[in-house]
Each structure stands twice: as structure tokens, then as C-alpha cells.
Amino acid sequence: MVAADAAKDLATARKERDMSHRVDVLRAINNGEDEDEDGETIVYGSALFEDGQYHSNTNLWDIALEQNSSNICRLADLRDCHICAGGGFPVATLDDTLQNNAMFEGSIDDVSEGDSCQVSFCFCPHATWLVFLIHGWPREEWETIMMEGNADETQHLVSFLVDDVAVQYPDATVEFKNVTFTVTSIHGALKRLLPPKRKEEVRADRDRRIAEEVAERDWQEVVRYVESTLRDRGNFGHIQLEMILRLLSVSNVKKRTDAVDRKILRIITACEQSGAFGFDDIKTIMERLLHYLEENPEMWD
């Protein structure tokens, strides 16, 4: 009996802890002014804050929402939806009619899942994003609006979706996908809420991706320098560019330095003097160049 009570208390404590760590998209009828204080809150999607991860842009913390299959949001109810944290504390609202509401803007994204339309909203002042899919709105219609901008630019996107699209397609529904925060606005929460092991994992993943981004930027500077040098000397061609980049990669060149720039100039000069640039296939160019370098090793070192 004691063990059963302890297990029950532990489960209750975990549930309460998870509640305080949750990010939800929920519906509050009339912005919470309905008289039924005991009425159940309609939660459409939720996730634990610590289950998020750094976005491809590592300045953002992205939380994938788990859909509540028993509560499906109608597009007509979108205006009553809110992003909440910690069990119900409001972060942002989709009600475009509220006075003194923080500014937020939306867009129909140039991506889709099947025939579903993806929509993104960005909320000020802390740059919080909400991404969701609209099901039941014909693809040809939302694609036309996305490509040609047929929507009234003076009308807020929420108003257009609720007052126009949902009226025309009353069975259209919304699937909430992600809530994203800027890291600077939630730095304290990241420090407090992530367990040590999880914190270590996400930081390692973030640092790895930052290193990869830096390495890619460094390499692209090398590519641009090689390309501009070839153009300046009247020898640019995709085959020539590819061949020189291969040689640099084999030489473990990763970023521009004065020494690397000199090496690039020597390689291009060697190609010119060997006549390698007179051929249009990379195999012949490479063979001609390597033969020249064997006879003139100072051009490589």
C-alpha cells in the first residue's frame, strides 16, 4: 500500500513538473473571458520545453509540438488560439482584434506537406515563431495567393484565414507544428530547465553545427577567390575551377590565408604554363598539370 501511494505521489509530481515545463498551443474562448471557470482548456498541441533543440539557425530554440489527436483545431477557431508556457501562462495570441496586443505578422510559406498549406507567424517583441499546417484549403488557391499575392495586404493574415478562407471552407483544420524562440530571450530557461545530460547534448550539437557553418563559410571564401582569380586571368571554366578545388582539398586547404593565396596563384600559373587549361576534360588537365609539377616541384611547395 505504501509503495503504491509512493508511486502515485511520484507520478503526480512528475505530471506537475511536466506541466510547469510545457509549451502549449491552446484555445481560450473569448480570450479567457468565458464565464465557465471550470471548463476544460482545449489544448491542440504541446511539448516539453527541454525536448526542443537548436534550430538550423543556432540562435533559435525549436520545439516540435505533439498533436492532441482528440482535439482538432478548426481554422475558424484560429483567432482564439494562444501560445502558452508553464501550464498556461500566455506568451502570444493569434487574436488580431485585441487592442494593445503585441504586433505579429504571418506569411504563407513556400513549402508544403502534400496538399497542406504551411503558415508561419512571428510575434514581437521577443521574436517567437509559430508554424502550422492548414488542411482542407485547396492547394491551387493557396498556391495562387502565395505566388501572386492576391490577398489584401491591408488585411491581417489571421483575419483573411478566419473571416475569408474558413467561411468558404468550414471543414478546414489547423495542425500546429512548431514553436520557436530566440535563444537570447529564453537563455535563463535553457539554463534552468534542461537536465545536465540534455544540456550537454544540445550544446555539443549546437557547437558542432556552428563549427560546420564556420568551416563552410571559410571554404566558400577559398572558392570565391579561386573563381575571381581565374576570371581575372581569362581562364575561368567550371572544369578548371573543379580541378583546382580538388587539388586544394587534397592539400587539406580549409580557409584562405596569405600562404593559401600564394599556393592558388602558383597552381593557376602552373596550369597556364603547362598548357593544361587548353583541354576540356578534368582527367587530361590533371595529368598535364601533375606532369608539369613533377618537373617543377617549386610550383607546388
Side-chain angles (χ1 to χ4, degrees):
M1 184 70 176
V2 174
D5 289 342
K8 184 177 180 180
D9 290 342
L10 180 60
T12 300
R14 285 177 175 170
K15 184 176 180 180
E16 291 176 350
R17 184 213 64 177
D18 288 351
M19 178 71 74
S20 67
H21 291 197
R22 261 179 31 189
V23 175
D24 301 306
V25 176
L26 53 82
R27 183 183 178 208
I29 302 173
N30 298 325
N31 293 298
E33 296 178 0
D34 51 304
E35 297 179 359
D36 185 5
E37 294 183 355
D38 297 323
E40 183 180 359
T41 301
I42 304 173
V43 178
Y44 294 122
S46 63
L48 293 178
F49 180 87
E50 56 262 42
D51 287 342
Q53 60 185 356
Y54 285 99
H55 193 268
S56 55
N57 175 350
T58 51
N59 294 314
L60 303 175
W61 183 253
D62 190 50
I63 302 171
L65 300 172
E66 181 179 346
Q67 303 304 302
N68 186 337
S69 58
S70 60
N71 291 330
I72 304 299
C73 180
R74 298 186 313 140
L75 182 59
D77 296 329
L78 185 66
R79 187 176 276 131
D80 295 327
C81 293
H82 309 266
I83 303 172
C84 295
F89 294 98
V91 173
T93 177
L94 282 161
D95 192 339
D96 60 310
T97 65
L98 280 179
Q99 293 184 352
N100 301 320
N101 188 21
M103 184 181 72
F104 68 106
E105 295 181 348
S107 63
I108 298 173
D109 298 335
D110 191 13
V111 294
S112 63
E113 291 189 16
D115 288 331
S116 300
C117 172
Q118 179 171 300
V119 175
S120 298
F121 279 98
C122 179
F123 302 84
C124 296
H126 299 301
T128 299
W129 284 266
L130 174 65
V131 176
F132 58 84
L133 299 178
I134 299 176
H135 304 292
W137 184 14
R139 184 185 186 99
E140 59 271 15
E141 291 198 13
W142 60 259
E143 273 192 338
T144 299
I145 292 172
M146 180 187 66
M147 299 299 293
E148 301 180 4
N150 288 346
D152 183 354
E153 293 184 359
T154 65
Q155 183 183 24
H156 197 284
L157 184 57
V158 169
S159 175
F160 172 69
L161 294 175
V162 172
D163 300 329
D164 295 357
V165 178
V167 171
Q168 188 174 1
Y169 301 100
D171 294 329
T173 59
V174 173
E175 178 186 354
F176 296 102
K177 300 293 289 184
N178 299 81
V179 173
T180 304
F181 300 96
T182 54
V183 170
T184 53
S185 67
I186 57 164
H187 183 67
L190 286 173
K191 291 175 64 176
R192 292 193 305 272
L193 297 182
L194 266 61
K197 184 176 181 182
R198 176 66 176 151
K199 190 183 300 181
E200 182 179 335
E201 291 173 349
V202 298
R203 284 180 175 176
D205 178 62
R206 176 200 62 189
D207 294 344
R208 174 188 58 79
R209 286 191 280 146
I210 289 175
E212 289 176 352
E213 290 171 4
V214 170
E216 178 62 20
R217 285 198 300 268
D218 288 344
W219 177 247
Q220 288 304 317
E221 286 187 8
V222 173
V223 173
R224 285 192 291 271
Y225 179 71
V226 173
E227 182 176 347
S228 66
T229 304
L230 286 171
R231 290 187 187 278
D232 290 344
R233 296 168 75 122
N235 286 312
F236 177 77
H238 293 292
I239 293 176
Q240 288 79 1
L241 176 64
E242 180 184 352
M243 184 271 296
I244 293 174
L245 293 179
R246 284 190 189 181
L247 285 173
L248 294 174
S249 180
V250 169
S251 303
N252 204 32
V253 169
K254 298 182 183 299
K255 62 186 298 185
R256 276 190 70 186
T257 63
D258 290 342
V260 167
D261 287 358
R262 290 193 295 270
K263 179 186 280 290
I264 291 170
L265 288 173
R266 288 198 302 271
I267 293 173
I268 293 175
T269 300
C271 289
E272 292 170 343
Q273 294 179 356
S274 67
F277 281 162
F279 299 91
D280 59 2
D281 67 282
I282 197 166
K283 183 172 183 273
T284 304
I285 294 174
M286 191 71 76
E287 289 174 350
R288 192 71 174 252
L289 175 62
L290 292 177
H291 178 71
Y292 179 84
L293 292 175
E294 287 176 0
E295 296 180 346
N296 302 274
E298 72 280 359
M299 299 294 291
W300 180 253
D301 297 331

